[in-house]
Amino acid sequence: MNKLILPIILVLTISVLVSYRAADSAIDGKAFAKHIKVLASDAFEGRKPFSPGEAKTIEYLKTEFEKIGLKPGNGKSYFQEVPMVDIVSTPAGPLVMKGKDGEISLNYLTDYVAATRRVQDQVKVENSEMVFAGYGIVAPEYGWNDYAGLDVKGKTVLVLVNDPGIVDDKLFKGNTMTYYGRWTYKFEEAARQGATGVLIVHDTGPASYGWSVVRSGWSKSKLYLQAEDDNRSRAAMEGWITLESAKKLFKLAGVSPDIMHKASQEGFKPVPLGVKTSLVINNTFKKSISHNVIALLPGTSRANEYVFYTAHWDHLGKGEPINGDSIYNGAADDASGTAALMEIATAFTKLKKKPARSIVFLVVTAEEQGLLGSEYYCTHPVFPLDKTVADINMDVLQPFGRTKDVIVVGKGQSDLDDYIEAAAKKQDRFTRGEPNPSGGWYFRSDHFNFAKVGVPSLYIENGVISRQHGEEWGKQQKEEFNLYRYHMPTDEYNDKWDLSGIVEDMTLLYEVGYRIGNETIYPGWKSGSEFKAARDKMLKK
């Protein structure tokens, strides 16, 4: 080896190690706990966009970013305006379904939920013919079309959650949910087909969450990005019904409930149910502006290239009381990610030598309403997307202590897997994919909007193999969170939380961002990723 090269390598290695130690000293549980206690306090009222809780939240973030010396990320402002509309949809009564041999009446919240995206005072679904359209998927690359030969204009389609791979692992990506399995896609496709209404059959296993999550999310106002046509291109009615209600509907139609299983078989054809449904939905709405918060640490030698850290500041605000508590504080979801982003930002500002690339800290609005803040940013970017090197996202960091494993959601998608694996080895940990890929977790947080436009994106969850209690205990903690705290008022901060695992995960994500921030290469998508083409096209321009 050249005698001049060795000293250079040693200097670079020492520089990196010093930087990591700076991160370790800056990232600590006490500072993290302070931020999360504030953001998840009752005073912030569940941090729903448009509420007094939003004003408190974004001002808190702005003030903290100023304190640590980060620059405004949107010109002279820390804020990016996100135009949205807040709609309170109230069904006028039960959802009535009439067949030739009788009718059934489904009760709001107990048996069904429904709303409309259309910005108008009232929508009416009157005697709309119902059709069971399987999974409601049109996927040419998988040779699948549930709407083949079907005209659904004026009709209401009933569809299943997830995709056929949940039943037959030879279809789609097996038990790894594709975007076609997400409920958001079901509504989008039904609208493209011209349907008047669309109802998804809820099933806890394929959905990966219980009916209580659907109920709590749909029992309050919902936010949407403003559209020039006031969302009149969307179906008049969007909603869910319980599995038991679906079985009653099939009985009324004289159709075996086995049809739901047959929907996963190749060649499945949609089934007219001979049932008509009616519902009136009354709306109150308000158009207003919410805000993404953006802070910037300018790079040194490659300042026109950007590494992003993202989290969402919002939660569900106030809603249906559970045991007398109506504030959905969202401590884990996602005050934890926001607090972690702030701690990582602090670590970067304490570096004596700043990264070559600029580091952007983006805290978005309305993730809980359908990833709206990140969608708006990625369609109205402040920094060029072709110069956006990577996104590192943080959502629902769990206080279960240190683990041996790191769960990479969507593992196998991008080169960022290799970065997090290298960082994990330094902590004597290993990476693996999510235990329940059928839950579609890769499509359920803000990194997904970056992925859709081609930016390689990393999203990790804390592991489940607890160093202190073992794997079964770790799995139990996650299961209990999903059952008893996720999207409920019980997602509150507790002084007894063990934050040691979160501190380790924050350090991992800091190291990944620091490494990318000092490289000259662009991480890419792995061969076979559905997002690779968008990135390749972007970088060729």
Side-chain angles (χ1 to χ4, degrees):
M1 181 180 290
N2 188 302
K3 292 182 179 180
L4 291 176
I5 294 176
L6 184 58
I8 293 172
I9 293 174
L10 289 173
V11 168
L12 289 174
T13 302
I14 292 169
S15 174
V16 170
L17 289 174
V18 169
S19 298
Y20 291 164
R21 291 186 187 118
D24 289 337
S25 63
I27 296 173
D28 68 87
K30 289 182 180 179
F32 172 86
K34 171 185 173 292
H35 290 312
I36 199 170
K37 286 169 76 171
V38 172
L39 292 166
S41 67
D42 283 355
F44 280 56
E45 301 180 13
R47 305 187 310 279
K48 185 169 184 179
F50 295 175
S51 73
E54 167 168 0
K56 292 179 181 179
T57 301
I58 65 173
E59 185 59 33
Y60 179 79
L61 295 175
K62 171 180 176 290
T63 300
E64 293 300 313
F65 286 143
E66 286 176 328
K67 281 182 184 178
I68 61 176
L70 292 178
K71 295 183 178 298
N74 188 15
K76 295 181 179 180
S77 177
Y78 287 94
F79 304 131
Q80 180 187 39
E81 294 187 347
V82 182
M84 295 193 295
V85 57
D86 188 2
I87 303 178
V88 180
S89 289
T90 307
L95 180 63
V96 178
M97 300 172 176
K98 295 182 179 181
K100 62 180 181 180
D101 296 323
E103 67 177 61
I104 59 175
S105 182
L106 303 183
N107 295 317
Y108 180 53
L109 296 182
T110 304
D111 303 317
Y112 84 97
V113 295
T116 183
R117 295 172 188 253
R118 296 187 179 184
V119 186
Q120 58 192 74
D121 294 329
Q122 186 182 79
V123 298
K124 291 183 179 180
V125 176
E126 297 181 286
N127 295 317
S128 174
E129 293 183 20
M130 298 194 70
V131 180
F132 177 58
Y135 286 89
I137 290 172
V138 178
E141 66 270 40
Y142 294 109
W144 198 277
N145 188 349
D146 284 320
Y147 287 97
L150 181 63
D151 181 3
V152 296
K153 291 177 182 175
K155 299 176 182 178
T156 294
V157 293
L158 182 73
V159 298
L160 302 176
V161 72
N162 215 305
D163 63 46
I166 192 70
V167 177
D168 185 346
D169 61 10
K170 296 182 181 64
L171 299 173
F172 287 66
K173 290 186 177 180
N175 70 344
T176 299
M177 184 195 286
T178 65
Y179 185 56
Y180 296 113
R182 282 289 286 151
W183 60 270
T184 51
Y185 167 81
K186 314 286 185 179
F187 293 155
E188 292 166 1
E189 188 58 49
R192 283 190 286 269
Q193 298 292 331
T196 290
V198 53
L199 295 170
I200 301 173
V201 178
H202 174 267
D203 190 350
T204 297
S208 77
Y209 44 80
W211 179 256
S212 63
V213 174
V214 177
R215 175 181 174 130
S216 67
W218 288 68
S219 62
K220 53 183 73 69
S221 68
K222 295 180 74 66
L223 295 172
Y224 310 99
L225 293 177
Q226 290 185 30
E228 289 185 7
D229 70 346
D230 282 337
N231 290 323
R232 282 177 168 78
S233 60
R234 299 299 294 242
M237 175 183 68
E238 298 176 348
W240 295 69
I241 64 173
T242 64
L243 181 59
E244 285 304 311
S245 297
K247 291 177 179 178
K248 291 178 182 178
L249 170 58
F250 287 128
K251 183 177 181 180
L252 175 66
V255 175
S256 169
D258 291 344
I259 195 70
M260 291 187 284
H261 179 78
K262 292 179 179 178
S264 64
Q265 297 174 358
E266 292 186 277
F268 171 80
K269 302 295 183 185
V271 179
L273 297 176
V275 172
K276 294 183 178 181
T277 189
S278 300
L279 186 69
V280 174
I281 300 175
N282 295 311
N283 280 340
T284 58
F285 55 86
K286 179 181 71 172
K287 291 183 177 180
S288 191
I289 303 294
S290 188
H291 301 83
N292 292 332
V293 184
I294 313 176
L296 174 69
L297 180 71
T300 54
S301 59
R302 301 173 71 87
N304 65 335
E305 297 176 355
Y306 307 91
V307 179
F308 271 66
Y309 284 91
T310 54
H312 69 92
W313 60 253
D314 69 298
H315 200 237
L316 303 177
K318 294 181 178 179
E320 186 178 18
I322 298 178
N323 295 325
D325 188 355
S326 63
I327 298 178
Y328 289 66
N329 303 80
D333 187 13
D334 184 34
S336 67
T338 300
L341 179 147
M342 296 166 75
E343 280 307 292
I344 291 172
T346 300
F348 272 102
T349 61
K350 290 185 177 181
L351 288 170
K352 291 182 179 180
K353 183 180 180 181
K354 302 299 186 287
R357 286 168 164 158
S358 296
I359 313 296
V360 180
F361 301 93
L362 172 63
V363 197
V364 298
T365 183
E367 188 269 358
E368 301 291 1
Q369 307 293 326
L371 316 183
L372 300 184
S374 56
E375 178 184 348
Y376 188 84
Y377 177 85
C378 289
T379 54
H380 301 79
V382 175
F383 305 101
L385 293 175
D386 62 347
K387 296 294 184 181
T388 301
V389 182
D391 173 50
I392 300 169
N393 187 53
M394 290 160 283
D395 195 358
V396 192
L397 304 177
Q398 299 280 21
F400 305 149
R402 298 172 62 226
T403 62
K404 296 179 181 179
D405 56 332
V406 180
I407 294 174
V408 180
V409 180
K411 185 174 170 60
Q413 286 279 9
S414 81
D415 295 340
L416 297 179
D417 293 358
D418 306 324
Y419 288 72
I420 194 69
E421 183 175 354
K425 283 182 179 178
K426 294 177 182 178
Q427 295 181 346
D428 190 27
R429 302 169 74 188
F430 67 94
T431 66
R432 60 177 177 169
E434 66 266 43
N436 178 25
S438 64
W441 302 102
Y442 194 76
F443 314 111
R444 291 168 63 169
S445 195
D446 294 296
H447 64 284
F448 176 56
N449 280 316
F450 282 85
K452 281 203 295 186
V453 296
V455 176
S457 303
L458 175 66
Y459 174 39
I460 70 168
E461 294 179 357
N462 60 298
V464 294
I465 306 177
S466 167
R467 289 192 182 275
Q468 185 175 0
H469 303 288
E471 185 170 4
E472 289 307 312
W473 181 89
K475 289 180 178 178
Q476 182 182 355
Q477 301 312 301
K478 281 203 169 185
E479 183 177 344
E480 288 181 357
F481 173 81
N482 288 332
L483 289 174
Y484 304 120
R485 292 188 292 283
Y486 175 61
H487 281 193
M488 298 181 192
T490 44
D491 183 10
E492 298 180 299
Y493 178 78
N494 189 317
D495 285 327
K496 295 181 180 179
W497 277 6
D498 182 350
L499 302 179
S500 58
I502 296 178
V503 171
E504 280 198 332
D505 286 349
M506 285 191 284
T507 304
L508 284 181
L509 296 177
Y510 164 82
E511 290 196 15
V512 171
Y514 179 83
R515 176 180 165 185
I516 299 170
N518 284 288
E519 288 183 337
T520 59
I521 63 172
Y522 277 58
W525 296 99
K526 292 185 181 295
S527 177
S529 170
E530 58 265 49
F531 309 113
K532 186 175 186 298
R535 187 60 160 182
D536 291 345
K537 182 179 179 181
M538 181 192 303
L539 296 181
K540 283 180 182 178
K541 290 181 178 180

